[in-house]
Amino acid sequence: METEKALQIVFEKLIEENSIPSKIRNINNVEHAEYCELINAINFLIESYKINPNIPKKLALAFVDISNYFFVSNLNYSEEDLERFEDYGIELSALGQKLFS
């Protein structure tokens, strides 16, 4: 994977109009494969920015209060889905800390 492609995936999945947080709030289906693609891109960027510490501001923006976007009230989701979204938020927060440390 290339850095630009990984950045594109993170922006698409976290801050653009059809992002995962938007899908959760709008009660649209969030595929686990989509989340896995995001995690793979973030892990790639963590390794990439160990070498080049100049992290783009837009990437930092994607992680501002990230966990809050995944802790949602019921919104007609099952308990299993709510727990899954919370787990996503916790994992993304941890990855953000790793990325920026």
Side-chain angles (χ1 to χ4, degrees):
M1 183 178 297
E2 294 181 14
T3 301
E4 288 303 315
K5 177 64 177 169
L7 287 169
Q8 178 186 357
I9 291 168
V10 172
F11 299 154
E12 177 184 308
K13 304 296 181 197
L14 289 182
I15 60 177
E16 291 183 1
E17 186 176 331
N18 201 25
S19 67
I20 293 172
S22 292
K23 287 180 178 182
I24 291 170
R25 295 267 186 270
N26 294 323
I27 312 177
N28 291 334
N29 191 27
V30 177
E31 296 290 334
H32 185 69
E34 178 179 25
Y35 179 73
C36 290
E37 180 182 27
L38 170 63
I39 296 303
N40 288 337
I42 294 170
N43 282 321
F44 175 84
L45 292 171
I46 288 169
E47 292 303 314
S48 177
Y49 287 117
K50 282 182 181 178
I51 298 165
N52 175 7
N54 296 319
I55 297 174
K57 290 180 183 180
K58 189 172 178 181
L59 180 57
L61 174 66
F63 284 90
V64 172
D65 288 333
I66 191 67
S67 65
N68 289 334
Y69 296 113
F70 291 86
F71 290 92
V72 295
S73 58
N74 188 331
L75 297 176
N76 296 320
Y77 283 113
S78 68
E79 197 63 35
E80 182 180 306
D81 283 338
L82 291 174
E83 288 180 22
R84 178 171 55 107
F85 297 150
E86 289 177 9
D87 290 346
Y88 287 177
I90 292 166
E91 183 176 20
L92 288 168
S93 291
L95 288 171
Q97 288 176 0
K98 192 173 181 181
L99 177 63
F100 295 106
S101 63

